[in-house]
Amino acid sequence: MAKKSGMTTIAMIGSGQMGEALIGGWLAAKTVPAEAIMATDASAERRDIMKRRFGVRTGTDNREAASKSSVVVLAVKPQMLDGVMKELSPALAGKLVLSIAAGVTLKHLAGLAPKTARFVRIMPNTPVLVRDGVSALSFGSTVTDKEQQLARRLFEAVGKAVVVEEKLMDAVTGLSGSGPAYVFMAIEALADGGVKMGLPRAVADLLAAQTVLGAARMVLETGEHPAKLKNGVASPGGTTIAGLHRLEQGGLRAALMGAVEAAAKRSEELGREPRH
């Protein structure tokens, strides 16, 4: 991998959905050029897709990719992480390593690598692909201020980034990490409701998606509590309050809270499961 002076070079170890989303987001934001990224994957089909779609270099040798890069991103499944780390370990000395493996602690990562490797644990979500994601970062004790700034810059380029204590990472996983799937389901259900009431599918899909997008922007840009914004839509005896009543009857709040809790607990379980 050719490296210009001062250029951040990235080895994306494992190019699954999240790895692909990050690469796509970084390239769209022009944070890192395609020639500075090396993506590895065991699947020839996946490598071909990554090369054709993004123009990045691809390969199968994880250690070689890591050794030639200044930043290593671990985008492998938690169950596979220990095996991958065993392969990578000699190449991680002095490297900044960004792990997006759910449930895997900084302590565990550090125990699989040279002492000079510096780790950041990150939970992004898939909307980073369209540069509207949110990522939570927890820094290892040896990560320098400059490296913290670099990690934040990479993830702020694809959305918003927050720094949290590592003990909160499972809760982050349950909320924002898994959250896009809950929202996709809500958009699908809203659109289905529109179709049921006679709207064409394409129109219903657009209305549902844009409604969710606009509502989210109102929360972020006004700073108002969601409950206050909700009350502003629901006029006395009107259509909205009738719809809200049905949502309460259906247990929407409890279902969403339960989904976050279940996903967070699963993240905790993944952290305890054996890895190969």
Side-chain angles (χ1 to χ4, degrees):
M1 182 185 301
K3 180 179 179 181
K4 298 177 182 179
S5 178
M7 177 187 289
T8 297
T9 51
I10 297 176
M12 180 65 70
I13 308 300
S15 52
Q17 184 182 28
M18 185 57 71
E20 184 176 336
L22 285 170
I23 289 174
W26 289 333
L27 294 179
K30 299 182 179 179
T31 306
V32 184
E35 60 267 25
I37 300 175
M38 175 72 169
T40 65
D41 199 283
S43 166
E45 181 181 6
R46 170 62 65 177
R47 294 195 305 273
D48 185 58
I49 290 172
M50 296 289 287
K51 188 172 183 179
R52 286 189 288 105
R53 183 174 182 185
F54 299 122
V56 300
R57 295 184 60 194
T58 61
T60 59
D61 192 326
N62 293 332
R63 186 183 296 184
E64 179 185 14
S67 67
K68 294 182 178 180
S69 303
S70 55
V71 177
V72 179
V73 181
L74 301 175
V76 299
K77 294 179 180 180
Q79 298 89 336
M80 300 172 57
L81 187 66
D82 283 19
V84 171
M85 284 294 292
K86 184 177 181 180
E87 176 189 1
L88 284 177
S89 183
L92 296 182
K95 303 284 185 179
L96 176 64
V97 185
L98 311 180
S99 172
I100 61 174
V104 183
T105 66
L106 291 168
K107 181 179 180 181
H108 185 84
L109 290 165
L112 299 172
K115 291 184 178 180
T116 55
R118 296 174 298 282
F119 289 93
V120 183
R121 182 178 171 186
I122 304 169
M123 176 47 62
N125 62 10
T126 53
V128 297
L129 179 61
V130 293
R131 297 170 59 193
D132 239 337
V134 63
S135 305
L137 292 76
S138 292
F139 298 112
S141 60
T142 59
V143 177
T144 67
D145 288 345
K146 185 176 180 180
E147 289 169 335
Q148 290 185 27
Q149 292 171 9
L150 171 59
R152 291 194 64 155
R153 186 165 69 250
L154 284 171
F155 286 87
E156 286 172 350
V158 292
K160 298 185 182 298
V162 298
V163 177
V164 301
E165 296 180 59
E166 188 182 13
K167 66 182 181 180
L168 298 176
M169 270 298 192
D170 292 319
V172 168
T173 301
L175 176 53
S176 59
S178 299
Y182 315 153
V183 177
F184 295 146
M185 181 177 285
I187 291 171
E188 180 187 30
L190 286 168
D192 284 349
V195 171
K196 182 179 180 182
M197 299 310 297
L199 289 171
R201 169 58 67 181
V203 173
D205 287 346
L206 175 61
L207 289 172
Q210 185 62 39
T211 296
V212 170
L213 175 61
R217 287 189 63 183
M218 285 185 69
V219 172
L220 293 173
E221 294 183 14
T222 67
E224 297 283 3
H225 193 283
K228 183 175 181 180
L229 295 173
K230 176 207 70 179
N231 291 343
V233 185
S235 56
T239 61
T240 303
I241 196 65
L244 289 170
H245 183 220
R246 180 56 62 90
L247 291 176
E248 292 288 8
Q249 288 177 322
L252 178 66
R253 293 171 188 263
L256 288 174
M257 291 173 68
V260 173
E261 181 181 25
K265 288 184 175 179
R266 180 57 183 149
S267 178
E268 294 175 5
E269 291 171 359
L270 286 173
R272 297 191 296 267
E273 286 182 358
R275 285 178 287 273
H276 307 290

